[in-house]
PDB file of all heavy atoms in Angstrom:
ATOM      1  N   SER A 134     114.425  87.454 103.085  1.00  0.00           N
ATOM      2  CA  SER A 134     114.099  88.593 102.262  1.00  0.00           C
ATOM      3  C   SER A 134     113.367  88.231 100.978  1.00  0.00           C
ATOM      4  O   SER A 134     113.134  89.080 100.146  1.00  0.00           O
ATOM      5  CB  SER A 134     115.314  89.433 101.967  1.00  0.00           C
ATOM      6  OG  SER A 134     116.267  88.670 101.251  1.00  0.00           O
ATOM      7  N   CYS A 135     113.078  86.923 100.751  1.00  0.00           N
ATOM      8  CA  CYS A 135     112.515  86.454  99.497  1.00  0.00           C
ATOM      9  C   CYS A 135     111.199  85.775  99.715  1.00  0.00           C
ATOM     10  O   CYS A 135     111.111  84.558  99.685  1.00  0.00           O
ATOM     11  CB  CYS A 135     113.495  85.544  98.775  1.00  0.00           C
ATOM     12  SG  CYS A 135     115.130  86.200  98.435  1.00  0.00           S
ATOM     13  N   PRO A 136     110.103  86.523  99.905  1.00  0.00           N
ATOM     14  CA  PRO A 136     108.795  85.878 100.119  1.00  0.00           C
ATOM     15  C   PRO A 136     108.234  85.416  98.782  1.00  0.00           C
ATOM     16  O   PRO A 136     108.489  86.014  97.709  1.00  0.00           O
ATOM     17  CB  PRO A 136     107.957  87.007 100.691  1.00  0.00           C
ATOM     18  CG  PRO A 136     108.512  88.300 100.095  1.00  0.00           C
ATOM     19  CD  PRO A 136     110.015  87.944 100.050  1.00  0.00           C
ATOM     20  N   PRO A 137     107.379  84.376  98.784  1.00  0.00           N
ATOM     21  CA  PRO A 137     106.769  83.913  97.508  1.00  0.00           C
ATOM     22  C   PRO A 137     105.564  84.904  97.190  1.00  0.00           C
ATOM     23  O   PRO A 137     105.012  85.539  98.036  1.00  0.00           O
ATOM     24  CB  PRO A 137     106.162  82.520  97.901  1.00  0.00           C
ATOM     25  CG  PRO A 137     106.007  82.571  99.381  1.00  0.00           C
ATOM     26  CD  PRO A 137     107.095  83.525  99.902  1.00  0.00           C
ATOM     27  N   THR A 138     105.279  84.935  95.877  1.00  0.00           N
ATOM     28  CA  THR A 138     104.174  85.814  95.426  1.00  0.00           C
ATOM     29  C   THR A 138     102.870  85.194  95.548  1.00  0.00           C
ATOM     30  O   THR A 138     101.870  85.915  95.589  1.00  0.00           O
ATOM     31  CB  THR A 138     104.382  86.214  93.940  1.00  0.00           C
ATOM     32  OG1 THR A 138     104.513  84.992  93.187  1.00  0.00           O
ATOM     33  CG2 THR A 138     105.656  87.024  93.760  1.00  0.00           C
ATOM     34  N   GLU A 139     102.728  83.881  95.580  1.00  0.00           N
ATOM     35  CA  GLU A 139     101.441  83.173  95.672  1.00  0.00           C
ATOM     36  C   GLU A 139     101.602  82.007  96.636  1.00  0.00           C
ATOM     37  O   GLU A 139     102.704  81.697  97.025  1.00  0.00           O
ATOM     38  CB  GLU A 139     101.055  82.629  94.263  1.00  0.00           C
ATOM     39  CG  GLU A 139     100.787  83.724  93.200  1.00  0.00           C
ATOM     40  CD  GLU A 139     100.387  83.102  91.936  1.00  0.00           C
ATOM     41  OE1 GLU A 139     100.113  81.882  91.880  1.00  0.00           O
ATOM     42  OE2 GLU A 139     100.312  83.800  90.920  1.00  0.00           O
ATOM     43  N   PRO A 140     100.498  81.409  97.091  1.00  0.00           N
ATOM     44  CA  PRO A 140     100.565  80.280  97.921  1.00  0.00           C
ATOM     45  C   PRO A 140     101.523  79.201  97.312  1.00  0.00           C
ATOM     46  O   PRO A 140     101.449  78.957  96.079  1.00  0.00           O
ATOM     47  CB  PRO A 140      99.153  79.705  97.980  1.00  0.00           C
ATOM     48  CG  PRO A 140      98.314  80.966  97.766  1.00  0.00           C
ATOM     49  CD  PRO A 140      99.089  81.798  96.832  1.00  0.00           C
ATOM     50  N   VAL A 141     102.349  78.612  98.142  1.00  0.00           N
ATOM     51  CA  VAL A 141     103.336  77.640  97.657  1.00  0.00           C
ATOM     52  C   VAL A 141     102.798  76.318  97.198  1.00  0.00           C
ATOM     53  O   VAL A 141     103.211  75.759  96.205  1.00  0.00           O
ATOM     54  CB  VAL A 141     104.448  77.483  98.709  1.00  0.00           C
ATOM     55  CG1 VAL A 141     105.426  76.394  98.313  1.00  0.00           C
ATOM     56  CG2 VAL A 141     105.158  78.806  98.966  1.00  0.00           C
ATOM     57  N   GLY A 142     101.832  75.779  97.988  1.00  0.00           N
ATOM     58  CA  GLY A 142     101.330  74.441  97.679  1.00  0.00           C
ATOM     59  C   GLY A 142     100.500  74.386  96.443  1.00  0.00           C
ATOM     60  O   GLY A 142      99.527  75.228  96.250  1.00  0.00           O
ATOM     61  N   LEU A 143     100.846  73.491  95.498  1.00  0.00           N
ATOM     62  CA  LEU A 143     100.084  73.335  94.270  1.00  0.00           C
ATOM     63  C   LEU A 143      99.019  72.249  94.431  1.00  0.00           C
ATOM     64  O   LEU A 143      97.848  72.485  94.249  1.00  0.00           O
ATOM     65  CB  LEU A 143     100.975  73.002  93.117  1.00  0.00           C
ATOM     66  CG  LEU A 143     101.567  74.144  92.253  1.00  0.00           C
ATOM     67  CD1 LEU A 143     102.427  73.617  91.178  1.00  0.00           C
ATOM     68  CD2 LEU A 143     100.412  74.936  91.633  1.00  0.00           C
ATOM     69  N   ALA A 144      99.481  71.044  94.735  1.00  0.00           N
ATOM     70  CA  ALA A 144      98.560  69.923  94.846  1.00  0.00           C
ATOM     71  C   ALA A 144      99.298  68.728  95.502  1.00  0.00           C
ATOM     72  O   ALA A 144     100.517  68.641  95.423  1.00  0.00           O
ATOM     73  CB  ALA A 144      98.008  69.512  93.520  1.00  0.00           C
ATOM     74  N   LEU A 145      98.544  67.798  96.034  1.00  0.00           N
ATOM     75  CA  LEU A 145      99.031  66.550  96.573  1.00  0.00           C
ATOM     76  C   LEU A 145      98.484  65.432  95.716  1.00  0.00           C
ATOM     77  O   LEU A 145      97.281  65.275  95.546  1.00  0.00           O
ATOM     78  CB  LEU A 145      98.613  66.360  98.025  1.00  0.00           C
ATOM     79  CG  LEU A 145      99.075  65.048  98.742  1.00  0.00           C
ATOM     80  CD1 LEU A 145     100.542  64.973  98.744  1.00  0.00           C
ATOM     81  CD2 LEU A 145      98.488  65.010 100.143  1.00  0.00           C
ATOM     82  N   HIS A 146      99.433  64.643  95.118  1.00  0.00           N
ATOM     83  CA  HIS A 146      99.039  63.598  94.190  1.00  0.00           C
ATOM     84  C   HIS A 146      99.287  62.248  94.891  1.00  0.00           C
ATOM     85  O   HIS A 146     100.294  62.038  95.624  1.00  0.00           O
ATOM     86  CB  HIS A 146      99.834  63.666  92.918  1.00  0.00           C
ATOM     87  CG  HIS A 146      99.776  64.992  92.226  1.00  0.00           C
ATOM     88  ND1 HIS A 146      98.863  65.228  91.227  1.00  0.00           N
ATOM     89  CD2 HIS A 146     100.474  66.136  92.397  1.00  0.00           C
ATOM     90  CE1 HIS A 146      99.026  66.454  90.799  1.00  0.00           C
ATOM     91  NE2 HIS A 146      99.975  67.039  91.488  1.00  0.00           N
ATOM     92  N   GLU A 147      98.438  61.236  94.615  1.00  0.00           N
ATOM     93  CA  GLU A 147      98.591  59.910  95.253  1.00  0.00           C
ATOM     94  C   GLU A 147      98.767  58.904  94.145  1.00  0.00           C
ATOM     95  O   GLU A 147      98.371  59.026  93.021  1.00  0.00           O
ATOM     96  CB  GLU A 147      97.310  59.587  95.994  1.00  0.00           C
ATOM     97  CG  GLU A 147      97.412  58.294  96.820  1.00  0.00           C
ATOM     98  CD  GLU A 147      96.167  58.079  97.665  1.00  0.00           C
ATOM     99  OE1 GLU A 147      95.233  58.892  97.555  1.00  0.00           O
ATOM    100  OE2 GLU A 147      96.140  57.118  98.389  1.00  0.00           O
ATOM    101  N   ASN A 148      99.527  57.868  94.495  1.00  0.00           N
ATOM    102  CA  ASN A 148      99.809  56.746  93.615  1.00  0.00           C
ATOM    103  C   ASN A 148     100.382  57.210  92.286  1.00  0.00           C
ATOM    104  O   ASN A 148      99.936  56.809  91.209  1.00  0.00           O
ATOM    105  CB  ASN A 148      98.517  55.897  93.393  1.00  0.00           C
ATOM    106  CG  ASN A 148      98.013  55.289  94.652  1.00  0.00           C
ATOM    107  OD1 ASN A 148      98.775  54.905  95.532  1.00  0.00           O
ATOM    108  ND2 ASN A 148      96.621  55.248  94.780  1.00  0.00           N
ATOM    109  N   THR A 149     101.434  57.975  92.329  1.00  0.00           N
ATOM    110  CA  THR A 149     102.159  58.429  91.135  1.00  0.00           C
ATOM    111  C   THR A 149     103.594  58.612  91.490  1.00  0.00           C
ATOM    112  O   THR A 149     103.959  58.335  92.656  1.00  0.00           O
ATOM    113  CB  THR A 149     101.491  59.721  90.619  1.00  0.00           C
ATOM    114  OG1 THR A 149     102.124  60.077  89.348  1.00  0.00           O
ATOM    115  CG2 THR A 149     101.731  60.935  91.575  1.00  0.00           C
ATOM    116  N   SER A 150     104.372  59.046  90.578  1.00  0.00           N
ATOM    117  CA  SER A 150     105.822  59.161  90.776  1.00  0.00           C
ATOM    118  C   SER A 150     106.289  60.594  90.627  1.00  0.00           C
ATOM    119  O   SER A 150     105.562  61.420  90.019  1.00  0.00           O
ATOM    120  CB  SER A 150     106.564  58.287  89.765  1.00  0.00           C
ATOM    121  OG  SER A 150     106.403  58.792  88.439  1.00  0.00           O
ATOM    122  N   LEU A 151     107.398  60.867  91.155  1.00  0.00           N
ATOM    123  CA  LEU A 151     108.033  62.194  91.046  1.00  0.00           C
ATOM    124  C   LEU A 151     108.148  62.608  89.625  1.00  0.00           C
ATOM    125  O   LEU A 151     107.796  63.693  89.189  1.00  0.00           O
ATOM    126  CB  LEU A 151     109.398  62.144  91.727  1.00  0.00           C
ATOM    127  CG  LEU A 151     110.189  63.456  91.757  1.00  0.00           C
ATOM    128  CD1 LEU A 151     109.687  64.306  92.925  1.00  0.00           C
ATOM    129  CD2 LEU A 151     111.652  63.147  91.971  1.00  0.00           C
ATOM    130  N   GLU A 152     108.628  61.662  88.775  1.00  0.00           N
ATOM    131  CA  GLU A 152     108.817  61.959  87.336  1.00  0.00           C
ATOM    132  C   GLU A 152     107.541  62.304  86.674  1.00  0.00           C
ATOM    133  O   GLU A 152     107.497  63.235  85.843  1.00  0.00           O
ATOM    134  CB  GLU A 152     109.525  60.785  86.656  1.00  0.00           C
ATOM    135  CG  GLU A 152     110.950  60.523  87.066  1.00  0.00           C
ATOM    136  CD  GLU A 152     111.133  59.780  88.335  1.00  0.00           C
ATOM    137  OE1 GLU A 152     110.061  59.439  89.007  1.00  0.00           O
ATOM    138  OE2 GLU A 152     112.228  59.423  88.735  1.00  0.00           O
ATOM    139  N   ASP A 153     106.458  61.576  86.993  1.00  0.00           N
ATOM    140  CA  ASP A 153     105.191  61.814  86.321  1.00  0.00           C
ATOM    141  C   ASP A 153     104.631  63.172  86.706  1.00  0.00           C
ATOM    142  O   ASP A 153     104.126  63.869  85.821  1.00  0.00           O
ATOM    143  CB  ASP A 153     104.199  60.667  86.737  1.00  0.00           C
ATOM    144  CG  ASP A 153     102.937  60.713  85.919  1.00  0.00           C
ATOM    145  OD1 ASP A 153     102.982  60.890  84.697  1.00  0.00           O
ATOM    146  OD2 ASP A 153     101.839  60.647  86.548  1.00  0.00           O
ATOM    147  N   VAL A 154     104.709  63.550  87.943  1.00  0.00           N
ATOM    148  CA  VAL A 154     104.221  64.848  88.384  1.00  0.00           C
ATOM    149  C   VAL A 154     104.923  65.979  87.701  1.00  0.00           C
ATOM    150  O   VAL A 154     104.319  66.905  87.215  1.00  0.00           O
ATOM    151  CB  VAL A 154     104.218  64.971  89.921  1.00  0.00           C
ATOM    152  CG1 VAL A 154     103.944  66.416  90.332  1.00  0.00           C
ATOM    153  CG2 VAL A 154     103.192  64.031  90.518  1.00  0.00           C
ATOM    154  N   LEU A 155     106.243  65.863  87.683  1.00  0.00           N
ATOM    155  CA  LEU A 155     107.088  66.900  87.064  1.00  0.00           C
ATOM    156  C   LEU A 155     106.847  66.927  85.538  1.00  0.00           C
ATOM    157  O   LEU A 155     107.242  67.953  84.912  1.00  0.00           O
ATOM    158  CB  LEU A 155     108.574  66.735  87.380  1.00  0.00           C
ATOM    159  CG  LEU A 155     108.924  66.985  88.827  1.00  0.00           C
ATOM    160  CD1 LEU A 155     110.357  66.658  89.107  1.00  0.00           C
ATOM    161  CD2 LEU A 155     108.684  68.399  89.247  1.00  0.00           C
ATOM    162  N   THR A 156     106.319  65.952  84.971  1.00  0.00           N
ATOM    163  CA  THR A 156     106.017  65.980  83.543  1.00  0.00           C
ATOM    164  C   THR A 156     104.605  66.579  83.285  1.00  0.00           C
ATOM    165  O   THR A 156     104.364  67.288  82.296  1.00  0.00           O
ATOM    166  CB  THR A 156     106.016  64.570  82.958  1.00  0.00           C
ATOM    167  OG1 THR A 156     107.375  64.040  83.108  1.00  0.00           O
ATOM    168  CG2 THR A 156     105.712  64.553  81.472  1.00  0.00           C
TER     169      THR A 156
END
Side-chain angles (χ1 to χ4, degrees):
S134 59
C135 302
T138 53
E139 298 181 9
V141 172
L143 267 180
L145 178 59
H146 305 266
E147 188 176 1
N148 297 324
T149 187
S150 67
L151 183 81
E152 291 83 354
D153 189 45
V154 168
L155 290 175
T156 299

